Amino acid sequence: MSFFDNLFGQWGSDMAIDLGTANTLVAIPGEGIVLNEPSVVAMDNNTNRVLAVGYEAREMIGRNPGSITVQRPLADGVIADYDVTMAMLSYFINKAAPRRRFYQPKPRIAICIPCGVTSVEKRAVFEATLEAGARQVFLIEEPMAAAIGAGLPVDEPTGSMVVDIGGGTTEIAVISLGGIVTYRSLRIAGNELDEAVARHVRDVYNLSIGSRTAEDIKIAIGSALPIPTGELDMEISGRDLTTSLPRVDIVQSEDIREGIRNPLSQIVVAIKEAFLETDPDLAADIIRNGILLTGGGGLLKMLDVLLTRELEVPVYVSETAFSNVVEGCARALENPEALRRSYTQK
Ligand code: ADP
Ligand code: MG
């Protein structure tokens, strides 16, 4: 720290944002992750005002009266509601921003949004981030950020493959020499698995459950293959479909596995196709380097084993599955080459 740094604070503090369909993370280089909240907004239908954002809004899901709408504005990897997305983004930026002193310049912000968005939406996020108080904005391609964050050798002449399974989208990319060589986005990911769990519990246990319970079940006992250490079960409560009364039941991991089989196989097929379409030289690199599985959905039990078996390529789960993207954005801010490649308007 120089004399002036001490006097003026860190000059032009930077900020990295992962605007995910399920969770938004904000990191400040040197400080690490300073915000990690669900991408959820609660609105008052009568006044159209934002009532709550993040954790506070998520607590309202399933408990809201008719006058309040609780939504995930990025639900399917696309911006379902522009104004609400922007309100959420500026709320998070302001919450995470270190208190600025009057002489401190605005931060530069590197932000990732789901890759499936249109160029109009990209531009919109870009503008909104500027409006929310950025001096300069860099939109980083999400798979690239995930790869940088996970420490893959993105700038080297070797192929790396990244599969990021989030809430709304599964994104598959092959990266080499600092660029994305092939890319594919699929609107089937964590949320779709939750819905499949809820449908199956309905059919098999005659029980109606909410989306939060379905997600809890998936995370606790869901698996892509039989669990070698023994199958699991879980006590849940829901509403009996016949009597309409609350009922407690015990669900088995075998049943949940059967329930998510269909959406899961669509994800597996897409990854397999993407790999098979990869140029042979890059494919040889990928066989040697393995495939990185990241994003919260990548943590599904036994998914890495299933993919390794199906693709005949080693697939490994990132230990930092939730934070790779925001970490990658933060590192990109320190890398002039990565910033030069990012989407930035003149
Ligand atoms: P996004 O980038 O879209 O915001 P995340 O990478 O934060 O998404 O991942 C969120 C998804 O990961 C959710 O669908 C959540 O249910 C799922 N998830 C989180 N932990 C697990 C787990 N242990 N097993 C399976 N799915 C998980
Ligand atoms: Mg993500």
Side-chain angles (χ1 to χ4, degrees):
M1 278 259 179
S2 74
F3 171 75
F4 286 103
D5 282 336
N6 281 324
L7 193 62
F8 296 130
Q10 196 191 7
W11 191 81
S13 57
D14 288 341
M15 189 183 275
I17 305 177
D18 168 8
L19 186 61
T21 55
N23 300 296
T24 297
L25 285 81
V26 180
I28 294 184
E31 279 183 44
I33 295 169
V34 295
L35 182 142
N36 179 0
E37 297 204 35
S39 308
V40 179
V41 179
M43 305 274 298
D44 184 324
N45 294 339
N46 300 323
T47 61
N48 243 348
R49 276 192 31 231
V50 173
L51 292 176
V53 180
Y55 280 114
E56 209 186 318
R58 193 180 61 176
E59 284 311 306
M60 298 181 179
I61 293 180
R63 303 191 176 100
N64 47 312
S67 61
I68 299 177
T69 310
V70 186
Q71 54 171 307
R72 293 185 174 274
L74 294 151
D76 293 310
V78 293
I79 298 173
D81 187 319
Y82 175 74
D83 291 335
V84 178
T85 302
M86 294 315 129
M88 181 174 84
L89 185 59
S90 41
Y91 174 87
F92 285 141
I93 290 174
N94 288 311
K95 188 168 179 185
R99 186 168 288 284
R100 284 214 340 262
R101 299 180 204 173
F102 69 94
Y103 43 74
Q104 227 174 1
K106 295 172 173 180
R108 299 185 307 162
I109 298 184
I111 182 166
C112 262
I113 53 172
C115 263
V117 307
T118 63
S119 56
V120 174
E121 289 172 325
K122 264 190 191 165
R123 203 193 157 99
V125 169
F126 188 95
E127 298 292 344
T129 311
L130 269 184
E131 215 168 289
R135 168 165 50 106
Q136 213 179 349
V137 177
F138 305 95
L139 277 186
I140 316 274
E141 289 170 300
E142 202 160 31
M144 181 61 83
I148 295 173
L152 298 186
V154 294
D155 290 320
E156 280 161 39
T158 183
S160 300
M161 186 162 167
V162 180
V163 175
D164 181 345
I165 307 180
T169 59
T170 294
E171 318 207 322
I172 307 159
V174 174
I175 294 169
S176 176
L177 287 169
I180 293 179
V181 183
T182 56
Y183 168 72
R184 186 185 273 241
S185 173
L186 178 77
R187 299 248 171 104
I188 302 178
N191 297 343
E192 202 81 22
L193 298 185
D194 299 345
E195 283 164 28
V197 166
R199 271 196 305 274
H200 203 68
V201 167
R202 208 185 164 91
D203 294 346
V204 175
Y205 298 90
N206 198 39
L207 209 56
S208 161
I209 56 171
S211 57
R212 289 287 299 279
T213 304
E215 182 179 19
D216 289 345
I217 296 172
K218 173 191 72 179
I219 292 175
I221 66 170
S223 71
L225 286 173
I227 306 169
T229 49
E231 295 297 337
L232 302 166
D233 57 35
M234 180 178 175
E235 190 180 282
I236 59 158
S237 45
R239 192 165 46 77
D240 188 285
L241 287 163
T242 314
T243 65
S244 290
L245 294 172
R247 177 161 63 81
V248 171
D249 210 331
I250 295 184
V251 292
Q252 310 289 334
S253 53
E254 290 98 320
D255 286 331
I256 301 308
R257 186 157 60 245
E258 178 59 29
I260 60 176
R261 207 164 55 139
N262 191 12
L264 197 59
S265 73
Q266 294 184 58
I267 294 176
V268 173
V269 165
I271 299 170
K272 203 166 172 174
E273 281 174 5
F275 176 65
L276 294 177
E277 284 166 15
T278 305
D279 168 272
D281 285 338
L282 289 172
D285 294 339
I286 294 167
I287 291 168
R288 210 170 32 247
N289 298 336
I291 296 174
L292 179 82
L293 187 56
T294 184
L299 299 174
L300 183 76
K301 290 180 192 38
M302 300 299 289
L303 181 56
D304 51 342
V305 180
L306 173 68
L307 286 170
T308 300
R309 193 179 290 178
E310 289 283 325
L311 274 69
E312 298 180 46
V313 176
V315 177
Y316 57 97
V317 185
S318 170
E319 281 171 17
T320 47
F322 286 107
S323 58
N324 286 335
V325 169
V326 77
E327 203 58 61
C329 283
R331 277 195 219 164
L333 280 165
E334 292 160 359
N335 179 342
E337 189 56 25
L339 292 184
R340 195 185 54 74
R341 286 194 301 258
S342 74
Y343 172 98
T344 179
Q345 265 163 323
K346 299 294 169 304

